[in-house]
């Protein structure tokens, strides 16, 4: 006999929590993968930092 009986509610809740954990882990992996691809691409990664960006004004004659 078990010292602590597990109710059916706990089994169902564990299944839902496990499913939600897998979905969240997949979302984190997706965001991480997109971030790695964007950083490794590195073409035009200019942030908005309130300064003049030469990439936008270059070649416009200004």
């Amino acid at each position: 006999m078990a010292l602590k009986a597990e109710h059916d509610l706990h089994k169902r809740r564990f299944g839902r929590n496990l499913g939600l954990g897998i979905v969240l882990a997949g979302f984190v992996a997706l965001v991480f993968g997109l971030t790695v691809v964007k950083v490794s691409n590195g073409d035009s990664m200019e942030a908005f930092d309130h300064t003049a960006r030469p990439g936008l004004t270059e070649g416009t004659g200004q």
Side-chain angles (χ1 to χ4, degrees):
M1 182 170 159
L3 293 176
K4 187 175 180 182
E6 191 171 289
H7 196 267
D8 186 44
L9 176 70
H10 295 113
K11 293 176 186 174
R12 286 186 281 150
R13 189 178 293 163
F14 176 76
R16 282 190 228 137
N17 287 342
L18 184 64
L20 183 61
I22 290 170
V23 168
L24 287 175
F27 179 71
V28 168
L30 177 68
V31 170
F32 180 73
L34 289 173
T35 303
V36 167
V37 167
K38 183 168 175 77
V39 168
S40 65
N41 195 9
D43 286 332
S44 59
M45 290 183 50
E46 295 178 0
F48 181 70
D49 55 359
H50 303 286
T51 61
R53 295 187 286 178
L56 292 177
T57 58
E58 197 173 302
T60 59
Q62 293 180 359

